[in-house]
Amino acid sequence: MSYPKNAVDTIRSSGYRVTRQRQLVLEILDKNQGHLDAEALFMKAKTKDMNIGIATIYRTLALLKKIGVVKEEFLGQQHGQFEKTPPLPHYHFTCLQCGRVIEFEVPQLTEIAHQLSKNKKIQVSEITMHLSGLCSQCINKTKNKKS
Amino acid sequence: MSYPKNAVDTIRSSGYRVTRQRQLVLEILDKNQGHLDAEALFMKAKTKDMNIGIATIYRTLALLKKIGVVKEEFLGQQHGQFEKTPPLPHYHFTCLQCGRVIEFEVPQLTEIAHQLSKNKKIQVSEITMHLSGLCSQCINKTKNKKS
DNA sequence: GTCCATGCAAACTGTTTGCACGCGC
DNA sequence: GCGCGTGCAAACAGTTTGCATGGAC
Protein backbone atom coordinates (compact mmCIF):
# COMPACT_ATOMS: atom_id res chain seq x y z
CA MET A 1 0.00 0.00 0.00
CA SER A 2 1.22 3.47 -0.72
CA TYR A 3 -0.93 5.08 1.92
CA PRO A 4 0.83 8.14 3.20
CA LYS A 5 2.07 6.85 6.52
CA ASN A 6 1.86 9.30 9.34
CA ALA A 7 5.06 11.03 10.32
CA VAL A 8 5.67 9.00 13.45
CA ASP A 9 5.54 5.77 11.47
CA THR A 10 7.93 7.22 8.94
CA ILE A 11 10.42 8.04 11.65
CA ARG A 12 10.21 4.54 13.08
CA SER A 13 10.32 2.75 9.75
CA SER A 14 13.33 4.81 8.73
CA GLY A 15 15.16 3.33 11.67
CA TYR A 16 15.06 6.29 14.03
CA ARG A 17 13.67 6.52 17.54
CA VAL A 18 10.40 8.20 18.32
CA THR A 19 11.22 10.56 21.12
CA ARG A 20 9.12 13.01 23.08
CA GLN A 21 10.95 15.90 21.42
CA ARG A 22 10.45 14.64 17.88
CA GLN A 23 6.77 14.15 18.52
CA LEU A 24 6.53 17.63 19.93
CA VAL A 25 8.09 19.16 16.82
CA LEU A 26 5.68 17.26 14.61
CA GLU A 27 2.76 18.35 16.76
CA ILE A 28 3.73 21.98 16.40
CA LEU A 29 4.21 21.68 12.65
CA ASP A 30 0.74 20.11 12.42
CA LYS A 31 -0.99 22.83 14.39
CA ASN A 32 0.81 25.59 12.51
CA GLN A 33 -0.01 24.82 8.97
CA GLY A 34 1.92 28.00 8.33
CA HIS A 35 5.65 28.22 7.93
CA LEU A 36 7.94 28.26 10.91
CA ASP A 37 11.64 28.81 11.08
CA ALA A 38 13.80 26.99 13.59
CA GLU A 39 13.70 29.85 16.06
CA ALA A 40 9.92 30.21 15.99
CA LEU A 41 9.51 26.48 16.37
CA PHE A 42 11.90 26.51 19.29
CA MET A 43 9.90 29.22 21.01
CA LYS A 44 6.67 27.29 20.64
CA ALA A 45 8.33 24.08 21.77
CA LYS A 46 9.62 25.75 24.92
CA THR A 47 6.11 26.47 26.10
CA LYS A 48 5.45 22.73 26.14
CA ASP A 49 8.88 21.55 27.25
CA MET A 50 10.98 24.05 29.09
CA ASN A 51 14.10 21.96 28.78
CA ILE A 52 14.17 21.39 25.05
CA GLY A 53 17.30 22.75 23.38
CA ILE A 54 17.63 24.63 20.14
CA ALA A 55 20.14 22.05 18.91
CA THR A 56 17.45 19.40 19.16
CA ILE A 57 15.18 21.52 17.01
CA TYR A 58 17.83 21.80 14.34
CA ARG A 59 18.71 18.13 14.49
CA THR A 60 15.06 17.11 14.39
CA LEU A 61 14.27 19.35 11.45
CA ALA A 62 17.28 18.02 9.57
CA LEU A 63 16.11 14.49 10.24
CA LEU A 64 12.51 15.13 9.24
CA LYS A 65 13.73 16.80 6.10
CA LYS A 66 15.98 13.89 5.26
CA ILE A 67 13.18 11.33 5.56
CA GLY A 68 10.86 13.58 3.61
CA VAL A 69 8.40 14.49 6.31
CA VAL A 70 9.02 18.21 6.13
CA LYS A 71 10.13 20.61 3.43
CA GLU A 72 12.33 23.62 3.89
CA GLU A 73 11.23 26.72 2.01
CA PHE A 74 13.27 29.85 1.50
CA LEU A 75 10.63 32.55 1.50
CA GLY A 76 11.95 35.73 3.03
CA GLN A 77 15.19 34.97 1.15
CA GLN A 78 17.20 34.29 4.26
CA HIS A 79 16.90 31.30 6.57
CA GLY A 80 14.50 28.52 5.80
CA GLN A 81 10.95 28.00 6.94
CA PHE A 82 9.63 24.50 7.48
CA GLU A 83 6.30 22.90 6.70
CA LYS A 84 4.96 19.36 6.56
CA THR A 85 5.47 18.02 3.05
CA PRO A 86 2.18 18.68 1.26
CA PRO A 87 0.46 15.94 -0.76
CA LEU A 88 0.29 18.19 -3.80
CA PRO A 89 3.23 20.45 -4.61
CA HIS A 90 2.49 24.10 -4.06
CA TYR A 91 4.35 27.37 -4.15
CA HIS A 92 4.41 30.59 -2.19
CA PHE A 93 3.85 34.28 -2.56
CA THR A 94 5.31 36.54 0.12
CA CYS A 95 4.08 40.06 0.72
CA LEU A 96 7.13 42.29 0.94
CA GLN A 97 5.31 44.70 3.20
CA CYS A 98 3.47 42.61 5.80
CA GLY A 99 5.17 39.28 5.29
CA ARG A 100 1.96 37.37 4.68
CA VAL A 101 2.42 34.12 2.80
CA ILE A 102 -0.09 32.89 0.24
CA GLU A 103 0.04 29.37 -1.16
CA PHE A 104 -0.98 28.42 -4.66
CA GLU A 105 -0.68 25.61 -7.13
CA VAL A 106 0.76 25.83 -10.61
CA PRO A 107 0.03 22.56 -12.40
CA GLN A 108 1.75 23.86 -15.53
CA LEU A 109 5.12 23.81 -13.81
CA THR A 110 5.33 20.06 -14.04
CA GLU A 111 5.00 20.26 -17.79
CA ILE A 112 7.47 23.12 -18.05
CA ALA A 113 10.02 21.18 -16.04
CA HIS A 114 9.40 18.15 -18.19
CA GLN A 115 10.12 20.11 -21.36
CA LEU A 116 13.31 21.47 -19.88
CA SER A 117 14.42 18.00 -18.87
CA LYS A 118 14.16 16.93 -22.48
CA ASN A 119 15.73 20.01 -24.02
CA LYS A 120 18.65 20.25 -21.65
CA LYS A 121 18.98 16.53 -21.01
CA ILE A 122 18.76 17.06 -17.30
CA GLN A 123 16.85 15.25 -14.59
CA VAL A 124 14.75 17.54 -12.45
CA SER A 125 14.02 16.33 -8.95
CA GLU A 126 12.91 19.53 -7.32
CA ILE A 127 10.98 22.57 -8.51
CA THR A 128 10.97 25.76 -6.53
CA MET A 129 8.96 28.84 -7.38
CA HIS A 130 8.48 31.90 -5.32
CA LEU A 131 6.67 35.14 -5.95
CA SER A 132 6.86 38.34 -3.99
CA GLY A 133 5.16 41.68 -4.14
CA LEU A 134 2.16 43.19 -2.37
CA CYS A 135 -0.87 41.37 -1.00
CA SER A 136 -4.36 42.78 -1.54
CA GLN A 137 -4.51 44.27 1.92
CA CYS A 138 -1.26 46.13 1.51
CA ILE A 139 -2.24 47.36 -1.94
CA ASN A 140 -5.31 48.93 -0.40
CA LYS A 141 -3.42 50.41 2.49
CA THR A 142 -1.06 52.08 0.05
CA LYS A 143 -3.93 53.41 -2.03
CA ASN A 144 -5.69 54.95 0.94
CA LYS A 145 -2.59 56.57 2.26
CA LYS A 146 -2.60 60.22 1.28
CA SER A 147 0.87 61.69 1.20
CA MET B 1 16.35 57.48 -23.86
CA SER B 2 15.91 54.22 -22.11
CA TYR B 3 19.26 52.86 -23.20
CA PRO B 4 20.56 50.56 -20.54
CA LYS B 5 23.15 52.77 -18.93
CA ASN B 6 26.30 51.03 -17.90
CA ALA B 7 26.70 50.18 -14.29
CA VAL B 8 29.14 52.95 -13.50
CA ASP B 9 26.73 55.57 -14.80
CA THR B 10 23.96 54.03 -12.75
CA ILE B 11 26.04 54.33 -9.60
CA ARG B 12 26.81 57.96 -10.32
CA SER B 13 23.31 58.90 -11.34
CA SER B 14 21.94 57.27 -8.23
CA GLY B 15 24.00 59.71 -6.23
CA TYR B 16 26.77 57.40 -5.11
CA ARG B 17 30.50 57.71 -5.61
CA VAL B 18 32.41 55.70 -8.14
CA THR B 19 35.29 54.24 -6.20
CA ARG B 20 38.10 51.95 -7.20
CA GLN B 21 36.59 49.15 -5.14
CA ARG B 22 33.13 49.46 -6.67
CA GLN B 23 34.60 49.40 -10.14
CA LEU B 24 36.61 46.34 -9.26
CA VAL B 25 33.55 44.47 -8.09
CA LEU B 26 31.73 45.35 -11.30
CA GLU B 27 34.70 44.23 -13.36
CA ILE B 28 34.76 40.86 -11.65
CA LEU B 29 31.04 40.40 -12.08
CA ASP B 30 31.42 41.19 -15.77
CA LYS B 31 34.20 38.71 -16.34
CA ASN B 32 32.47 35.98 -14.41
CA GLN B 33 29.17 35.74 -16.11
CA GLY B 34 28.68 32.91 -13.66
CA HIS B 35 27.35 33.32 -10.17
CA LEU B 36 29.60 34.38 -7.36
CA ASP B 37 28.90 34.58 -3.69
CA ALA B 38 30.41 37.29 -1.53
CA GLU B 39 33.28 35.10 -0.42
CA ALA B 40 34.27 34.04 -3.95
CA LEU B 41 34.07 37.61 -5.12
CA PHE B 42 36.23 38.71 -2.21
CA MET B 43 38.85 36.13 -3.11
CA LYS B 44 38.99 37.30 -6.71
CA ALA B 45 39.06 40.92 -5.66
CA LYS B 46 42.00 40.30 -3.36
CA THR B 47 44.17 39.23 -6.28
CA LYS B 48 43.70 42.70 -7.75
CA ASP B 49 43.66 44.71 -4.56
CA MET B 50 45.31 43.09 -1.57
CA ASN B 51 43.86 45.62 0.83
CA ILE B 52 40.20 45.33 -0.03
CA GLY B 53 38.05 44.25 2.91
CA ILE B 54 35.23 41.75 2.96
CA ALA B 55 32.95 44.38 4.47
CA THR B 56 33.41 46.48 1.35
CA ILE B 57 32.32 43.55 -0.76
CA TYR B 58 29.14 43.13 1.25
CA ARG B 59 28.41 46.84 1.25
CA THR B 60 29.07 47.14 -2.46
CA LEU B 61 26.89 44.18 -3.33
CA ALA B 62 24.10 45.56 -1.18
CA LEU B 63 24.41 48.89 -2.97
CA LEU B 64 24.48 47.39 -6.45
CA LYS B 65 21.49 45.30 -5.58
CA LYS B 66 19.59 48.32 -4.30
CA ILE B 67 20.15 50.31 -7.48
CA GLY B 68 19.29 47.27 -9.58
CA VAL B 69 22.66 46.56 -11.15
CA VAL B 70 22.99 43.07 -9.72
CA LYS B 71 20.56 40.39 -8.67
CA GLU B 72 20.97 38.04 -5.77
CA GLU B 73 20.02 34.44 -6.48
CA PHE B 74 19.56 31.70 -3.94
CA LEU B 75 20.75 28.65 -5.78
CA GLY B 76 22.44 26.21 -3.46
CA GLN B 77 19.67 27.08 -1.00
CA GLN B 78 21.95 28.84 1.44
CA HIS B 79 23.69 32.16 0.95
CA GLY B 80 23.09 34.19 -2.17
CA GLN B 81 25.00 34.29 -5.42
CA PHE B 82 25.23 37.51 -7.38
CA GLU B 83 25.05 38.24 -11.08
CA LYS B 84 24.63 41.35 -13.20
CA THR B 85 20.93 41.92 -13.78
CA PRO B 86 20.18 40.26 -17.11
CA PRO B 87 18.20 42.09 -19.80
CA LEU B 88 15.73 39.20 -20.04
CA PRO B 89 14.62 37.41 -16.88
CA HIS B 90 15.98 33.91 -16.62
CA TYR B 91 16.03 31.11 -14.13
CA HIS B 92 18.47 28.51 -12.90
CA PHE B 93 18.92 24.80 -12.63
CA THR B 94 21.52 23.53 -10.18
CA CYS B 95 23.03 20.08 -10.39
CA LEU B 96 22.90 18.57 -6.93
CA GLN B 97 25.95 16.45 -7.61
CA CYS B 98 28.49 18.70 -9.34
CA GLY B 99 26.98 22.10 -8.61
CA ARG B 100 26.83 23.15 -12.25
CA VAL B 101 24.35 25.93 -12.95
CA ILE B 102 22.31 26.04 -16.15
CA GLU B 103 20.30 29.07 -17.12
CA PHE B 104 17.06 28.99 -19.04
CA GLU B 105 14.12 31.17 -19.89
CA VAL B 106 10.50 30.42 -19.19
CA PRO B 107 8.37 32.99 -21.00
CA GLN B 108 5.20 31.34 -19.70
CA LEU B 109 5.99 32.41 -16.15
CA THR B 110 5.01 35.98 -16.86
CA GLU B 111 1.58 34.86 -17.91
CA ILE B 112 1.25 32.51 -14.94
CA ALA B 113 2.16 35.31 -12.56
CA HIS B 114 -0.30 37.57 -14.29
CA GLN B 115 -3.13 35.09 -13.81
CA LEU B 116 -2.25 34.71 -10.15
CA SER B 117 -2.23 38.46 -9.68
CA LYS B 118 -5.78 38.60 -10.91
CA ASN B 119 -7.06 35.58 -9.03
CA LYS B 120 -5.50 36.43 -5.71
CA LYS B 121 -5.68 40.21 -6.13
CA ILE B 122 -2.00 40.54 -5.45
CA GLN B 123 0.72 42.54 -7.14
CA VAL B 124 3.71 40.47 -8.18
CA SER B 125 6.99 42.33 -8.44
CA GLU B 126 9.42 39.44 -8.42
CA ILE B 127 9.34 35.92 -9.80
CA THR B 128 11.81 33.33 -8.66
CA MET B 129 12.06 29.83 -10.04
CA HIS B 130 14.71 27.30 -9.36
CA LEU B 131 15.15 23.71 -10.44
CA SER B 132 17.54 21.15 -9.11
CA GLY B 133 18.45 17.61 -9.98
CA LEU B 134 21.15 16.01 -12.10
CA CYS B 135 22.87 17.48 -15.13
CA SER B 136 23.48 15.36 -18.22
CA GLN B 137 27.10 14.70 -17.33
CA CYS B 138 26.24 13.46 -13.87
CA ILE B 139 23.42 11.30 -15.21
CA ASN B 140 25.93 9.57 -17.45
CA LYS B 141 28.48 9.20 -14.69
CA THR B 142 25.89 7.49 -12.55
CA LYS B 143 24.86 5.19 -15.39
CA ASN B 144 28.40 4.09 -16.12
CA LYS B 145 29.22 3.44 -12.50
CA LYS B 146 28.95 -0.30 -11.85
CA SER B 147 28.37 -1.09 -8.21
C1' DG C 1 21.86 -3.21 28.55
C1' DT C 2 22.97 -0.96 24.32
C1' DC C 3 23.42 2.84 21.76
C1' DC C 4 20.96 6.63 19.76
C1' DA C 5 19.14 11.20 21.06
C1' DT C 6 19.36 15.07 24.09
C1' DG C 7 20.89 19.43 26.58
C1' DC C 8 24.39 22.42 27.29
C1' DA C 9 28.05 25.28 25.97
C1' DA C 10 31.49 26.25 23.02
C1' DA C 11 32.80 26.65 18.25
C1' DC C 12 31.96 28.16 13.70
C1' DT C 13 30.26 30.65 9.44
C1' DG C 14 28.40 34.26 7.12
C1' DT C 15 27.19 38.95 7.63
C1' DT C 16 26.85 43.55 9.84
C1' DT C 17 28.43 47.52 12.47
C1' DG C 18 31.31 51.33 14.86
C1' DC C 19 34.95 54.05 14.23
C1' DA C 20 38.98 56.64 12.57
C1' DC C 21 41.22 57.55 8.31
C1' DG C 22 41.29 58.40 3.17
C1' DC C 23 39.59 59.73 -1.14
C1' DG C 24 35.84 61.12 -4.73
C1' DC C 25 33.66 65.03 -6.04
C1' DG D 1 37.30 70.79 2.18
C1' DC D 2 33.13 68.17 3.02
C1' DG D 3 31.25 64.01 3.77
C1' DC D 4 30.73 59.50 1.88
C1' DG D 5 33.23 55.12 1.47
C1' DT D 6 36.79 52.16 3.24
C1' DG D 7 39.55 48.84 6.18
C1' DC D 8 39.87 46.82 10.37
C1' DA D 9 38.22 44.44 14.24
C1' DA D 10 34.69 43.46 17.07
C1' DA D 11 29.90 42.19 17.35
C1' DC D 12 26.20 39.56 15.85
C1' DA D 13 22.81 35.82 14.26
C1' DG D 14 22.00 31.45 12.83
C1' DT D 15 23.60 26.92 12.89
C1' DT D 16 26.65 23.02 14.08
C1' DT D 17 29.47 20.16 17.07
C1' DG D 18 31.71 17.61 21.22
C1' DC D 19 30.70 15.53 25.19
C1' DA D 20 28.53 13.47 29.23
C1' DT D 21 23.92 12.00 30.66
C1' DG D 22 19.33 10.01 29.82
C1' DG D 23 15.81 7.44 27.55
C1' DA D 24 13.92 4.37 23.48
C1' DC D 25 13.88 -0.11 22.18
Side-chain angles (χ1 to χ4, degrees), chain A residues 13 85 124 130:
Chain A
S13 68
T85 305
V124 175
H130 183 244

Side-chain angles (χ1 to χ4, degrees), chain B residues 91-106:
Chain B
Y91 309 94
H92 302 91
F93 164 89
T94 311
C95 177
L96 295 172
Q97 200 149 319
C98 70
R100 197 151 71 103
V101 173
I102 298 173
E103 302 185 344
F104 53 85
E105 291 168 18
V106 187

Side-chain angles (χ1 to χ4, degrees), chain B residues 1 51 59 62 75 78 82 86 88 107 127:
Chain B
M1 302 255 289
N51 292 320
R59 284 189 277 230
L75 304 179
Q78 33 248 18
F82 295 83
L88 230 65
I127 305 175

Side-chain angles (χ1 to χ4, degrees), chain A:
Chain A
M1 303 256 289
S2 70
Y3 255 130
K5 271 185 296 201
N6 68 48
V8 169
D9 286 345
T10 307
I11 293 179
R12 216 185 309 266
S13 68
S14 303
Y16 298 102
R17 294 181 181 171
V18 176
T19 64
R20 188 166 34 82
Q21 292 89 334
R22 288 176 180 169
Q23 291 182 84
L24 177 53
V25 168
L26 286 172
E27 220 174 90
I28 293 171
L29 284 171
D30 270 326
K31 284 211 189 95
N32 291 269
Q33 281 303 13
H35 312 81
L36 298 174
D37 60 17
E39 196 65 33
L41 219 151
F42 177 53
M43 241 82 114
K44 283 183 188 288
K46 273 229 156 178
T47 69
K48 295 259 183 168
D49 174 355
M50 296 201 5
N51 293 320
I52 199 167
I54 185 83
T56 300
I57 301 292
Y58 278 105
R59 285 189 276 231
T60 300
L61 286 174
L63 175 73
L64 295 178
K65 191 176 157 188
K66 184 165 73 172
I67 63 178
V69 170
V70 307
K71 284 201 68 177
E72 184 174 11
E73 307 280 346
F74 294 82
L75 305 180
Q77 309 288 55
Q78 33 248 18
H79 54 294
Q81 317 261 110
F82 295 83
E83 66 176 349
K84 288 285 271 295
T85 305
L88 230 64
H90 67 228
Y91 309 95
H92 302 91
F93 164 90
T94 312
C95 177
L96 294 172
Q97 198 149 320
C98 70
R100 197 150 71 102
V101 173
I102 298 174
E103 303 184 343
F104 54 85
E105 292 168 17
V106 186
Q108 303 99 300
L109 278 196
T110 314
E111 177 54 23
I112 290 174
H114 184 68
Q115 289 299 331
L116 279 166
S117 300
K118 283 208 294 195
N119 295 342
K120 309 273 184 183
K121 302 203 192 317
I122 57 181
Q123 184 176 308
V124 175
S125 56
E126 171 86 22
I127 306 174
T128 283
M129 183 188 188
H130 183 244
L131 305 181
S132 53
L134 294 178
C135 72
S136 52
Q137 291 178 16
C138 288
I139 294 173
N140 287 332
K141 264 184 222 149
T142 309
K143 266 191 204 147
N144 299 337
K145 201 194 303 166
K146 53 201 70 169
S147 59

Side-chain angles (χ1 to χ4, degrees), chain B:
Chain B
M1 302 255 289
S2 69
Y3 256 130
K5 272 185 295 203
N6 69 47
V8 169
D9 286 346
T10 308
I11 293 178
R12 217 185 308 268
S13 69
S14 303
Y16 298 103
R17 294 181 181 171
V18 176
T19 65
R20 187 168 34 82
Q21 292 88 335
R22 287 176 180 170
Q23 290 181 85
L24 177 53
V25 168
L26 285 172
E27 221 175 87
I28 293 173
L29 284 171
D30 269 326
K31 285 212 190 93
N32 292 268
Q33 281 303 12
H35 311 81
L36 298 174
D37 60 17
E39 197 64 34
L41 220 152
F42 177 53
M43 244 79 115
K44 283 183 188 288
K46 273 228 157 178
T47 70
K48 296 259 183 168
D49 175 355
M50 294 201 7
N51 292 320
I52 199 167
I54 184 83
T56 301
I57 302 292
Y58 278 105
R59 284 189 277 230
T60 300
L61 287 173
L63 175 73
L64 295 178
K65 192 175 156 188
K66 184 165 72 171
I67 64 179
V69 170
V70 308
K71 282 202 67 177
E72 184 174 11
E73 305 281 346
F74 293 82
L75 304 179
Q77 310 289 53
Q78 33 248 18
H79 54 296
Q81 318 261 110
F82 295 83
E83 66 176 350
K84 289 285 271 298
T85 306
L88 230 65
H90 67 227
Y91 309 94
H92 302 91
F93 164 89
T94 311
C95 177
L96 295 172
Q97 200 149 319
C98 70
R100 197 151 71 103
V101 173
I102 298 173
E103 302 185 344
F104 53 85
E105 291 168 18
V106 187
Q108 302 99 300
L109 278 196
T110 314
E111 177 53 26
I112 289 174
H114 184 68
Q115 289 300 332
L116 279 165
S117 299
K118 284 208 295 197
N119 294 342
K120 308 272 185 184
K121 302 203 191 317
I122 57 182
Q123 185 176 309
V124 175
S125 57
E126 171 86 22
I127 305 175
T128 283
M129 183 189 187
H130 183 246
L131 305 182
S132 53
L134 294 178
C135 73
S136 53
Q137 291 177 17
C138 287
I139 293 173
N140 287 331
K141 265 183 223 151
T142 308
K143 266 190 203 147
N144 299 337
K145 199 193 306 168
K146 53 202 69 168
S147 58

